[in-house]
């Protein structure tokens, strides 16, 4: 009995260690990549919508310009106070930040009203990906950019995003979608 318990504890410990090593590696790689991709918006987009803003971890990559206006949407209303705090810490004027409780399938903005849309690791949590992408296209101004980092693959028939399995890491950056 003692031997069985020790083995279970060892397996759990090793599993947790591996999880945290992979999590640290993944988060570090994603953060570096997000920094590269999202910093491309600086000076090019004055009004930015972030779909699934959550606590606002991406704001530091693109929102530290006094001319930038950010609209964040998230289905969880409790994220607003955290997103506002992140906006302030990123150097964004709070008068230039709006938060709406909303989902990607029903963006509460006018047609052609933003220069860029940001979405990171969010398409896995929307109920209708096609509708969410149509909403992104609807709110983007002509020539606007959709900048996203995702971990879900598109359907082979999807015309918005080629299937992830066909691309290597260096090609992902070219997925900045222009309408």
């Amino acid at each position: 009995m003692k031997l069985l318990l020790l083995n279970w504890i060892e397996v759990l410990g090793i599993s947790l260690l591996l999880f945290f090593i992979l999590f640290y590696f993944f988060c570090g790689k994603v953060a570096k990549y997000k920094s590269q991709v999202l910093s491309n918006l600086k000076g090019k987009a004055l009004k930015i919508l972030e779909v699934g803003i959550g606590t606002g971890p991406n704001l530091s990559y693109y929102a530290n310009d006094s001319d930038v206006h950010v609209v964040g949407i998230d289905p969880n209303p409790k994220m607003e106070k955290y997103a506002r705090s992140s906006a302030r810490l990123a150097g964004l004027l709070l008068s230039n930040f709006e938060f709406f409780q909303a989902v990607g399938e029903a963006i509460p903005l006018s047609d052609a009203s933003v220069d860029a849309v940001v979405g990171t690791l969010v398409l896995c949590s929307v109920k209708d990906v096609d509708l969410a992408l149509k909403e992104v296209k609807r709110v983007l101004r002509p020539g606007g950019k959709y900048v996203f980092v995702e971990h879900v693959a598109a359907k082979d028939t999807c015309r918005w995003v080629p299937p992830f399995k066909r691309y290597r890491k260096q090609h992902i950056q070219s997925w900045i979608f222009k309408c």
Side-chain angles (χ1 to χ4, degrees), residues 21-86:
I21 289 170
L22 290 172
F23 183 77
Y24 177 78
F25 176 77
F26 177 75
C27 286
K29 292 287 186 183
V30 170
K32 181 179 177 185
Y33 186 72
K34 285 196 309 183
S35 174
Q36 292 170 348
V37 173
L38 296 175
S39 66
N40 288 326
L41 293 176
K42 289 184 180 180
K44 298 175 186 168
L46 295 180
K47 187 168 183 182
I48 300 170
L49 165 67
E50 184 160 353
V51 178
I53 194 164
T55 61
N58 296 324
L59 291 168
S60 62
Y61 299 123
Y62 65 83
N64 56 359
D65 186 347
S66 62
D67 293 333
V68 172
H69 182 91
V70 176
V71 177
I73 66 167
D74 200 279
N76 185 345
K78 294 182 179 180
M79 292 296 114
E80 181 174 5
K81 70 179 178 180
Y82 301 109
R84 286 192 183 283
S85 177
S86 292

Side-chain angles (χ1 to χ4, degrees), residues 108 145 155:
K145 292 185 178 187
K155 298 176 198 171

Side-chain angles (χ1 to χ4, degrees), residues 142-166:
K145 292 185 178 187
Y146 175 36
V147 183
F148 60 96
V149 177
E150 288 296 339
H151 61 103
V152 294
K155 298 176 198 171
D156 284 338
T157 58
C158 183
R159 295 189 183 272
W160 284 77
V161 185
F164 182 78
K165 62 187 174 189
R166 295 184 189 166

